[in-house]
Coordinates of all heavy atoms in Angstrom, one line a residue:
S24 N 23.1 3.4 -3.7 CA 23.0 4.6 -4.4 C 23.3 5.8 -3.3 O 23.0 7.0 -3.6 CB 21.5 4.9 -5.1 OG 21.4 3.9 -6.0
G25 N 23.7 5.5 -2.2 CA 24.0 6.5 -1.1 C 22.8 7.4 -0.9 O 22.9 8.6 -0.6
N26 N 21.6 6.8 -0.7 CA 20.4 7.5 -0.4 C 20.1 8.6 -1.4 O 19.4 9.6 -1.0 CB 20.5 8.1 1.0 CG 20.5 7.0 2.0 OD1 19.9 6.0 2.0 ND2 21.4 7.1 3.0
N27 N 20.6 8.5 -2.6 CA 20.4 9.5 -3.6 C 19.4 8.9 -4.7 O 19.9 8.2 -5.6 CB 21.8 10.0 -4.2 CG 21.7 11.2 -5.0 OD1 20.8 11.3 -5.9 ND2 22.5 12.3 -4.8
W28 N 18.3 9.6 -4.8 CA 17.3 9.1 -5.8 C 17.9 9.2 -7.1 O 17.7 8.3 -8.0 CB 15.9 9.8 -5.6 CG 14.9 9.3 -6.4 CD1 14.0 8.4 -6.1 CD2 14.5 9.7 -7.7 NE1 13.1 8.1 -7.0 CE2 13.3 8.8 -8.1 CE3 15.0 10.6 -8.6 CZ2 12.8 9.1 -9.4 CZ3 14.4 10.8 -9.9 CH2 13.4 10.0 -10.2
M64 N 8.9 -1.8 -2.7 CA 10.0 -0.9 -2.7 C 9.8 0.1 -1.6 O 8.6 0.3 -1.1 CB 10.0 -0.2 -4.1 CG 8.8 0.5 -4.5 SD 8.7 1.1 -6.2 CE 9.8 2.5 -5.9
S65 N 10.8 0.8 -1.2 CA 10.8 1.9 -0.3 C 10.7 3.1 -0.9 O 10.9 3.3 -2.2 CB 12.0 1.7 0.7 OG 13.2 2.1 -0.1
L66 N 10.5 4.2 -0.1 CA 10.5 5.6 -0.5 C 11.7 6.4 -0.1 O 12.0 7.4 -0.8 CB 9.1 6.3 -0.1 CG 7.9 5.8 -0.6 CD1 6.7 6.6 0.0 CD2 7.8 5.8 -2.2
A67 N 12.3 5.9 1.0 CA 13.2 6.9 1.6 C 14.5 6.9 1.0 O 15.3 7.9 1.0 CB 13.3 6.6 3.2
G68 N 15.1 5.8 0.5 CA 16.4 5.6 0.1 C 16.7 6.0 -1.3 O 15.9 6.7 -1.9
G69 N 17.9 5.5 -1.9 CA 18.2 5.9 -3.1 C 18.0 4.7 -4.2 O 17.4 4.9 -5.3
T70 N 18.4 3.5 -3.8 CA 18.3 2.4 -4.6 C 16.8 1.9 -4.8 O 16.4 1.7 -5.9 CB 19.2 1.2 -4.1 OG1 20.5 1.7 -4.0 CG2 19.3 0.1 -5.1
G71 N 16.2 1.6 -3.7 CA 15.0 1.0 -3.8 C 14.0 1.8 -4.4 O 13.1 1.5 -5.3
S72 N 14.1 3.2 -4.1 CA 13.2 4.2 -4.7 C 13.5 4.6 -6.1 O 12.8 4.6 -7.0 CB 13.0 5.4 -3.8 OG 14.3 6.1 -3.7
G73 N 14.8 4.9 -6.3 CA 15.3 5.4 -7.5 C 15.2 4.4 -8.7 O 14.6 4.4 -9.7
V95 N 4.6 0.4 -1.5 CA 5.6 1.3 -1.1 C 5.6 1.5 0.4 O 4.5 1.5 1.0 CB 5.5 2.7 -1.8 CG1 5.7 2.6 -3.2 CG2 4.2 3.4 -1.4
V96 N 6.9 1.6 1.0 CA 7.0 1.5 2.5 C 7.3 3.1 2.8 O 8.4 3.5 2.3 CB 8.0 0.7 3.0 CG1 8.2 0.9 4.4 CG2 7.7 -0.7 2.7
W97 N 6.4 3.8 3.5 CA 6.6 5.2 3.8 C 7.6 5.3 4.9 O 7.6 4.5 5.9 CB 5.2 5.7 4.2 CG 5.0 7.2 4.1 CD1 5.5 8.1 4.9 CD2 4.4 7.9 3.1 NE1 5.2 9.4 4.5 CE2 4.5 9.2 3.2 CE3 3.8 7.4 1.9 CZ2 4.0 10.1 2.4 CZ3 3.2 8.3 1.1 CH2 3.3 9.7 1.3
P98 N 8.5 6.2 4.8 CA 9.6 6.4 5.9 C 9.0 6.8 7.1 O 8.0 7.4 7.3 CB 10.6 7.5 5.2 CG 9.6 8.2 4.3 CD 8.7 7.3 3.7
Y99 N 9.8 6.6 8.2 CA 9.6 7.1 9.6 C 9.4 8.6 9.6 O 10.3 9.3 8.9 CB 10.6 6.7 10.6 CG 10.6 5.2 11.0 CD1 11.4 4.3 10.4 CD2 9.6 4.7 11.8 CE1 11.4 3.0 10.7 CE2 9.5 3.4 12.2 CZ 10.5 2.6 11.6 OH 10.4 1.2 12.1
G100 N 8.5 9.2 10.3 CA 8.4 10.7 10.3 C 9.5 11.3 10.9 O 9.9 12.5 10.6
G102 N 12.5 10.5 10.6 CA 13.7 10.6 9.7 C 14.6 9.4 9.7 O 15.0 9.0 10.8
E103 N 14.8 8.8 8.6 CA 15.8 7.8 8.3 C 17.1 8.4 7.7 O 18.2 8.1 8.2 CB 15.2 6.6 7.6 CG 14.1 6.1 8.1 CD 13.4 5.0 7.2 OE1 14.1 4.2 6.6 OE2 12.1 5.0 7.0
V104 N 16.9 9.1 6.7 CA 18.0 9.8 6.1 C 17.5 11.3 5.8 O 16.3 11.6 5.7 CB 18.4 9.2 4.7 CG1 19.0 7.8 5.0 CG2 17.2 9.1 3.8
I105 N 18.5 12.2 5.8 CA 18.1 13.6 5.8 C 17.4 14.1 4.5 O 16.6 15.0 4.6 CB 19.4 14.5 6.1 CG1 19.0 15.9 6.4 CG2 20.2 14.5 4.7 CD1 20.1 16.8 6.9
V106 N 17.6 13.3 3.4 CA 17.0 13.6 2.1 C 15.8 12.8 1.8 O 15.3 12.6 0.7 CB 17.9 13.6 0.9 CG1 19.0 14.7 1.1 CG2 18.8 12.3 1.0
Q107 N 15.3 12.1 2.8 CA 14.3 11.1 2.5 C 13.0 11.8 1.9 O 12.3 11.2 1.1 CB 13.8 10.3 3.8 CG 13.2 11.1 4.9 CD 12.7 10.3 6.0 OE1 13.4 9.4 6.4 NE2 11.6 10.7 6.8
N108 N 12.8 13.0 2.3 CA 11.5 13.7 1.7 C 11.7 14.0 0.3 O 10.8 13.9 -0.5 CB 11.2 14.9 2.5 CG 10.9 14.8 4.0 OD1 10.0 13.8 4.2 ND2 11.4 15.3 4.9
Y109 N 12.8 14.3 -0.1 CA 13.2 14.5 -1.5 C 12.9 13.1 -2.3 O 12.3 13.2 -3.3 CB 14.7 14.9 -1.8 CG 15.0 16.4 -1.6 CD1 16.3 16.8 -1.5 CD2 14.0 17.4 -1.7 CE1 16.6 18.2 -1.3 CE2 14.3 18.7 -1.5 CZ 15.6 19.1 -1.4 OH 15.9 20.4 -1.2
N110 N 13.6 12.1 -1.7 CA 13.4 10.9 -2.4 C 12.0 10.4 -2.5 O 11.5 9.8 -3.5 CB 14.2 9.8 -1.6 CG 15.7 10.0 -1.7 OD1 16.2 10.8 -2.5 ND2 16.4 9.6 -0.6
A111 N 11.1 10.6 -1.5 CA 9.8 10.2 -1.4 C 9.1 11.0 -2.5 O 8.2 10.4 -3.2 CB 9.2 10.4 -0.1
V112 N 9.2 12.4 -2.5 CA 8.4 13.1 -3.5 C 8.9 12.7 -4.9 O 7.9 12.6 -5.8 CB 8.8 14.6 -3.3 CG1 8.4 15.5 -4.5 CG2 8.3 15.2 -2.0
L113 N 10.0 12.5 -5.2 CA 10.5 12.1 -6.6 C 9.9 10.7 -7.0 O 9.5 10.5 -8.1 CB 12.0 12.1 -6.7 CG 12.7 13.5 -6.6 CD1 14.2 13.3 -6.3 CD2 12.5 14.3 -7.9
T114 N 9.9 9.8 -6.0 CA 9.4 8.4 -6.1 C 7.9 8.5 -6.5 O 7.5 7.9 -7.4 CB 9.7 7.6 -5.1 OG1 11.1 7.6 -4.7 CG2 9.3 6.1 -5.4
L115 N 7.2 9.1 -5.5 CA 5.8 9.1 -5.7 C 5.3 9.8 -7.0 O 4.4 9.2 -7.8 CB 5.1 9.8 -4.5 CG 5.2 9.0 -3.2 CD1 4.8 10.0 -2.1 CD2 4.4 7.9 -3.2
N130 N 5.8 3.2 7.9 CA 6.7 2.5 8.9 C 6.2 2.9 10.4 O 6.3 2.0 11.3 CB 8.1 3.0 8.7 CG 9.0 2.1 7.9 OD1 8.6 0.8 7.7 ND2 10.0 2.4 7.3
V330 N 5.1 15.3 3.8 CA 6.3 15.0 3.2 C 6.5 16.2 2.2 O 7.6 16.7 1.9 CB 6.2 13.6 2.4 CG1 7.3 13.5 1.4 CG2 6.5 12.6 3.5
Y347 N 21.8 16.0 -6.4 CA 21.0 15.3 -7.3 C 21.3 15.8 -8.6 O 21.2 15.0 -9.6 CB 19.5 15.6 -6.9 CG 19.0 15.0 -5.6 CD1 19.4 15.4 -4.4 CD2 18.2 13.9 -5.8 CE1 18.9 14.7 -3.3 CE2 17.7 13.2 -4.7 CZ 18.1 13.6 -3.3 OH 17.7 13.0 -2.2

Side-chain angles (χ1 to χ4, degrees):
S24 302
N26 295 319
N27 189 312
W28 187 90
M64 54 190 290
S65 66
L66 293 180
T70 304
S72 60
V95 296
V96 179
W97 206 276
Y99 286 102
E103 297 175 44
V104 294
I105 197 167
V106 291
Q107 68 176 32
N108 296 311
Y109 278 164
N110 295 337
V112 165
L113 292 164
T114 305
L115 290 169
N130 266 337
V330 164
Y347 290 76

